[in-house]
């Protein structure tokens, strides 16, 4: 973000230049955070609606169509319903952890967005280890689930949270290896630099295409979307770790889940589809702002995710584990070796 | 600079307090959660030192993997920790001795690090100019000391295989699914259509 001019303006005009820079910096960052969060919430509302509409269309239903034109305000209505309901805390629950779990989930999901570049230089903070930061945050998000399952003091949530933890830890491994192959190609951990490295060909059209497939499937498992939504498989575990949750805490879980889905769509755009870069770097395409390109690509990937949800039957738990450990892990490990060899060969290392 | 100082004191205070809570919490699950919080604050301190790679790796490895296993074990095993703590006071003398020895050694390391002439070179080489600390670590681990790194990896591999061998037990009477066989099944092999005439029964 063009933060420094904005801060200079803030210190000069609003506070008459009497303010030290660090105070203005803090105020500016807080305002910026609030704006980013607001935009993300609106994005989540849109994404939930799109998810439901696509799902409905695949089943030849209409989907939400009552609240607002084309049901556009359905998500907002649902959100307000959750906000105004009474949160019920089970008497056997560990109260602090029970309420902390949804906060952890949604906070981490929001925090992950800090490093994702949506256009050239437009991001909250451009850190050198951006991709590692995202990996760290996504490896933390399992805690919200475990804490919720344990604090609920109830059988189904606990079983579901154990499932979820095992699932997320398993698929994190292959996601890590996929990220390593991308890093080998790009030669940097900075997300903006990874996008810039794709100026002469998106990574999805290179040797890395199988890695994109693995990343896509793993991210479905990582966000517990169908066909890997085993922790809330309603025929087995009621509503999974969210069984005991109601009202705003449930809303926070829901928010976190969809923020993570959006984040992974954005991350796949950045890692494989050249982020904000246009399809071809020639005249009519370069007029379109980078943000629009980013959005188009992310929405396309989300469409794929939504279609998978609509048309693929749910996996069995042992099949899920087998896929993660016996297929994805060896393949991605092999691909790290192949990619490293290819990069070395191209740079004349052999 | 002021913000950095504030951040340092917040991180280190919270780190120390949560480390204290790890050993004093009654509920073992709370202990593990405080441990995670302590790791997190340590990562914050790493970031303040400019070691962003180490900070992220600390979170990924310790918080994201090791502590999840801790939490798993503590939640799944129904250990009565109150019972375990009953006789804990009788270990106080030996615990105090070990603690004091460690504190003294840490102080010695700090002094040596500060004073010894040989450590000046080491301190300088840890933060080379003109490259990010990820690259610097990469050079050290994969170029300068690659054989030591490989040996460490082999040791870990042996440890992993050892753990697997120790816990592996071949259970009999378990029906396992062979995925290739399952995928190769056709409708013809699995079912047959019988044309039952009305009135004749099955």
């Amino acid at each position: 973000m063009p933060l420094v001019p904005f801060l200079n303006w803030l210190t000069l005009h609003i506070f008459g230049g009497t303010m030290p820079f660090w105070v203005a910096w803090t105020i500016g960052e807080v305002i910026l955070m609030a704006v980013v969060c607001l935009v993300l919430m609106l994005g989540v509302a849109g994404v939930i609606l799109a998810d439901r509409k696509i799902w409905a269309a695949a089943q030849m239903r209409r989907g939400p169509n009552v609240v607002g034109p084309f049901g556009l305000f359905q998500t907002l209505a649902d959100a307000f319903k959750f906000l105004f309901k009474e949160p019920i805390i089970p008497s056997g629950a560990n109260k602090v952890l029970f309420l902390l779990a949804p906060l952890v989930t949604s906070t981490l999901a929001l925090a992950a967005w800090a490093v994702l570049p949506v256009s050239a230089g437009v991001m909250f903070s451009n850190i050198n280890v951006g991709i590692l930061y995202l990996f760290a945050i996504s490896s933390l998000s399992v805690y919200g689930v475990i804490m919720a399952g344990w604090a609920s003091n109830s059988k189904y949530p606990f079983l579901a949270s154990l499932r979820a933890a095992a699932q997320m830890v398993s698929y994190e491994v292959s996601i890590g290896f996929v990220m390593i192959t991308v890093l080998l190609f790009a030669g940097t951990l900075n997300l903006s630099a990874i996008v810039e490295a794709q100026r002469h060909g998106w990574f999805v059209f290179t040797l890395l295409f199988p890695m994109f497939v693995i990343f896509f499937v793993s991210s479905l498992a990582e966000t517990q979307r169908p066909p890997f939504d085993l922790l809330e498989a309603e025929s087995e575990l009621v509503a999974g770790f969210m069984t005991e949750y109601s009202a705003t805490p449930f809303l926070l879980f829901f928010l976190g889940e969809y923020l993570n889905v959006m984040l992974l769509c954005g991350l796949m755009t950045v890692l494989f589809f050249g982020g904000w870069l246009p399809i071809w770097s020639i005249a009519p395409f370069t007029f379109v702002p980078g943000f629009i390109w980013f959005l188009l690509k992310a929405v396309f990937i989300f469409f794929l995710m939504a279609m998978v949800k609509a048309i693929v039957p749910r996996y069995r738990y042992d099949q899920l584990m087998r896929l993660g450990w016996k297929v994805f892990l060896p393949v991605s490990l092999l691909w790290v070796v192949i990619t490293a060899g290819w990069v070395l060969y191209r740079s004349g290392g052999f | 600079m002021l913000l950095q100082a504030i951040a340092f004191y917040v991180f280190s205070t919270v780190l120390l307090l949560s480390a204290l809570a790890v050993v004093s919490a009654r509920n073992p699950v709370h202990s593990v959660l405080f441990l995670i919080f302590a790791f997190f604050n340590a990562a914050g301190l790493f970031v303040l030192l400019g070691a962003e790679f180490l900070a992220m790796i600390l979170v990924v490895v310790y918080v994201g993997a090791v502590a999840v296993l801790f939490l798993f074990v503590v939640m799944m095993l129904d250990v009565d920790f109150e019972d375990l703590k009953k006789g804990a006071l009788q270990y106080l003398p030996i615990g105090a001795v070990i603690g004091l020895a460690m504190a003294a050694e840490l102080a010695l390391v700090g002094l040596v690090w500060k004073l010894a002439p040989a450590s000046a070179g080491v301190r300088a080489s840890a933060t080379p100019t003109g490259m990010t600390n990820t690259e610097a670590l990469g050079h050290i681990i994969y170029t300068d000391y690659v054989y030591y790194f490989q040996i460490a990896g082999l040791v870990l591999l042996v440890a992993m295989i050892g753990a697997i061998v120790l816990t592996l037990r071949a259970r009999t009477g378990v029906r396992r699914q062979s995925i290739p066989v399952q995928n190769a099944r056709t409708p013809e092999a699995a079912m047959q259509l019988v044309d039952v005439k009305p009135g004749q029964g099955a």
Side-chain angles (χ1 to χ4, degrees):
Chain A
M1 283 262 161
L3 192 61
V4 176
F6 170 70
L7 289 178
N8 285 340
W9 176 83
L10 199 72
T11 36
L12 276 178
H13 292 270
I14 298 193
F15 304 105
T18 56
M19 182 175 278
F21 181 76
W22 67 271
V23 177
W25 183 83
T26 312
I27 293 174
E29 291 281 289
V30 169
I31 293 173
L32 212 58
M33 271 185 222
V35 170
V36 170
C37 288
L38 199 70
V39 171
L40 283 175
M41 304 271 179
L42 288 176
V44 165
V47 160
I48 292 176
L49 186 77
D51 201 17
R52 294 178 65 180
K53 280 282 191 189
I54 292 168
W55 203 3
Q59 297 173 348
M60 302 187 79
R61 292 184 288 116
R62 282 176 191 277
N65 63 347
V66 176
V67 190
F70 309 107
L72 275 177
F73 303 131
Q74 179 68 47
T75 321
L76 292 180
D78 288 345
F80 281 117
K81 188 189 78 177
F82 281 124
L83 281 177
F84 292 129
K85 276 194 166 182
E86 180 196 1
I88 297 167
I89 302 174
S91 57
N94 187 322
K95 207 172 273 181
V96 178
L97 286 185
F98 186 82
L99 291 177
L100 199 60
L103 283 176
V104 166
T105 305
S106 51
T107 310
L108 286 175
L110 280 172
W113 280 89
V115 294
L116 202 76
V118 292
S119 185
V122 180
M123 72 196 79
F124 196 76
S125 71
N126 187 6
I127 60 176
N128 279 332
V129 288
I131 194 164
L132 266 181
Y133 171 84
L134 280 180
F135 192 57
I137 294 283
S138 80
S139 69
L140 283 178
S141 57
V142 64
Y143 283 109
V145 179
I146 299 187
M147 279 159 72
W150 186 78
S152 297
N153 197 9
S154 165
K155 288 188 197 72
Y156 289 127
F158 187 60
L159 289 172
S161 73
L162 290 182
R163 267 193 182 183
Q167 177 177 336
M168 290 167 93
V169 170
S170 309
Y171 279 85
E172 213 125 85
V173 182
S174 50
I175 284 189
F177 280 122
V178 172
M179 283 179 176
I180 289 176
T181 58
V182 174
L183 298 185
L184 283 171
F185 253 64
T188 171
L189 274 78
N190 184 310
L191 288 168
S192 306
I194 289 174
V195 172
E196 281 303 326
Q198 298 177 58
R199 197 165 274 285
H200 305 294
W202 301 351
F203 287 159
V204 71
F205 298 129
T206 59
L207 192 62
L208 295 182
F209 179 74
M211 289 298 101
F212 167 67
V213 176
I214 288 185
F215 196 98
F216 182 79
V217 180
S218 299
S219 57
L220 291 177
E222 186 76 7
T223 50
Q224 288 113 35
R225 277 179 71 81
F228 303 117
D229 59 338
L230 287 150
L231 71 168
E232 43 191 299
E234 55 272 64
S235 54
E236 300 166 22
L237 290 170
V238 197
F241 63 93
M242 296 186 235
T243 305
E244 305 290 345
Y245 280 88
S246 55
T248 314
F250 178 80
L251 181 71
L252 288 177
F253 270 127
F254 211 64
L255 184 75
E257 196 180 317
Y258 273 89
L259 276 173
N260 275 332
V261 171
M262 279 164 63
L263 178 82
L264 281 165
C265 290
L267 188 59
M268 272 184 262
T269 309
V270 167
L271 293 185
F272 294 103
F273 286 84
W276 64 80
L277 298 175
I279 295 183
W280 289 289
S281 295
I282 47 173
F285 296 107
T286 47
F287 294 149
V288 181
F291 174 69
I292 303 289
W293 280 117
F294 179 86
L295 207 62
L296 282 176
K297 293 169 187 175
V299 165
F300 169 71
I301 294 172
F302 178 74
F303 179 73
L304 293 183
M305 278 192 164
M307 286 306 282
V308 169
K309 177 178 181 173
I311 61 182
V312 180
R314 184 178 286 142
Y315 251 52
R316 216 171 56 207
Y317 191 68
D318 62 313
Q319 290 173 335
L320 174 86
M321 281 296 154
R322 178 185 165 275
L323 185 70
W325 289 104
K326 293 188 179 172
V327 180
F328 282 0
L329 180 60
V331 169
S332 53
L333 196 54
L334 180 71
W335 224 261
V336 169
V337 176
I338 291 175
T339 314
W342 172 253
V343 170
L344 197 65
Y345 170 70
R346 287 297 299 272
S347 65
F350 277 136
Chain B
M1 282 306 105
L2 188 63
L3 271 182
Q4 268 186 22
I6 292 173
F8 172 77
Y9 283 113
V10 168
F11 279 135
S12 39
T13 314
V14 177
L15 172 64
L16 290 176
L17 286 181
S18 52
L20 203 64
V22 174
V23 287
S24 61
R26 284 179 177 277
N27 191 329
V29 173
H30 292 176
S31 283
V32 178
L33 290 173
F34 275 118
L35 183 67
I36 292 159
F37 200 41
F39 282 145
F40 210 72
N41 283 289
L45 286 178
F46 270 135
V47 170
L48 283 183
L49 284 172
E52 71 264 14
F53 184 80
L54 280 182
M56 295 306 152
I57 289 297
L58 182 75
V59 175
V60 170
V61 175
Y62 283 92
V63 184
V66 175
V68 171
L69 292 182
F70 279 12
L71 212 56
F72 250 41
V73 172
V74 171
M75 281 179 179
M76 300 260 283
L77 297 181
D78 192 22
V79 183
D80 192 357
F81 280 80
E82 288 300 305
D83 214 38
L84 280 179
K85 277 184 181 168
K86 261 178 195 158
L89 267 185
Q90 66 182 4
Y91 299 110
L92 187 65
I94 191 160
V97 169
I98 293 174
L100 275 178
M102 267 199 76
E105 279 175 357
L106 275 177
L108 275 177
V109 166
L111 271 179
V112 169
W113 184 254
K114 205 84 181 161
L115 298 179
S119 78
V122 182
R123 262 180 287 164
S125 70
T127 50
T129 49
M131 56 168 81
T132 63
N133 65 45
T134 314
E135 282 172 277
L137 275 171
H139 273 292
I140 290 172
I141 294 176
Y142 293 106
T143 309
D144 299 349
Y145 298 106
V146 61
Y147 295 116
Y148 301 100
F149 182 70
Q150 299 273 350
I151 291 167
L154 273 179
V155 170
L156 282 175
L157 182 69
V158 170
M160 191 176 82
I161 293 173
I164 292 171
V165 168
L166 282 177
T167 53
L168 184 74
R169 59 189 170 120
R171 282 189 293 178
T172 51
V174 181
R175 289 162 63 91
R176 293 193 188 281
Q177 186 182 30
S178 165
I179 300 292
V181 172
Q182 190 74 39
N183 284 343
R185 267 163 73 98
T186 55
E188 291 76 40
M191 64 181 184
Q192 76 184 105
L193 288 175
V194 182
D195 196 10
V196 181
K197 298 269 187 313
Q200 290 185 345

